[in-house]
């Protein structure tokens, strides 16, 4: 039975490391990368699951003898289910797009001479999309590509 608890503790430590890496860098395992829309939520969920696994494994050996089995059971399951809920939310919630990321960055343009006194600096409008004008660009010649 000790090897099962040891494997559980090892998986808990691995989950804590992966959750920490996800929170610090935004990196997600390649198998889950395509489905995760909120990496921070995913990282916190993995951290909670890892803490649950490690806590239940450590408490199995009686490190904290004053804790009742009910507190260990319900506390570990609350951490585990909370982490699983955060993982589901990280997969289900849509991408968060802010206005700052939706518009291209560029130098700020000063207000024109006829602008009111309280005018603020604005970003220049992006150039119109060539594809929306109805004329598609021809193939690129001379570089070996066959883009149409």
């Amino acid at each position: 039975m000790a090897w099962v608890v040891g494997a559980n503790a090892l998986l808990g430590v691995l989950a804590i490391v992966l959750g920490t890496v996800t929170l610090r860098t935004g990196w997600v395992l390649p198998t889950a990368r395509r489905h995760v829309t909120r990496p921070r939520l995913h990282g916190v969920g993995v951290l909670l699951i890892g803490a649950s696994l490690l806590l239940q494994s450590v408490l199995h050996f009686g490190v904290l003898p004053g804790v009742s089995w009910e507190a260990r059971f319900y506390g570990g399951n609350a951490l585990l289910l909370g982490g699983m809920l955060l993982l589901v939310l990280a997969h289900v919630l849509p991408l968060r797009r802010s206005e700052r990321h939706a518009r291209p960055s560029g130098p700020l343009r000063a207000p024109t001479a006829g602008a009111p006194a309280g005018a603020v600096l604005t970003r220049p409008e992006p150039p119109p999309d060539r594809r929306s004008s109805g004329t598609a660009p021809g193939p690129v010649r001379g570089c070996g590509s066959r883009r149409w």
Side-chain angles (χ1 to χ4, degrees), residues 17 35 67 71 73 76 78 97 104 110 124-126 137:
V17 167
H35 306 288
V67 179
F73 177 74
R97 299 279 185 192
E125 292 298 321

Side-chain angles (χ1 to χ4, degrees), residues 46-134:
V46 172
L47 269 176
L48 286 178
I49 289 174
S52 167
L53 294 175
L54 189 61
L55 186 66
Q56 288 182 1
S57 300
V58 168
L59 290 177
H60 174 75
F61 292 115
V63 174
L64 300 173
V67 179
S68 67
W69 72 270
E70 293 95 354
R72 289 185 295 176
F73 177 74
Y74 290 124
N77 285 341
L79 284 174
L80 186 68
L81 292 175
M84 290 176 69
L85 177 68
L86 288 178
L87 285 181
V88 167
L89 288 176
H91 287 147
V92 171
L93 291 177
L95 286 172
R96 220 172 25 178
R97 299 279 185 192
S98 66
E99 179 65 26
R100 185 178 65 138
H101 294 297
R103 297 180 63 186
S105 61
L108 292 175
R109 183 175 54 196
T112 59
V120 295
L121 298 176
T122 59
R123 296 204 182 275
E125 292 298 321
D129 191 10
R130 290 192 313 180
R131 287 176 279 179
S132 65
S133 65

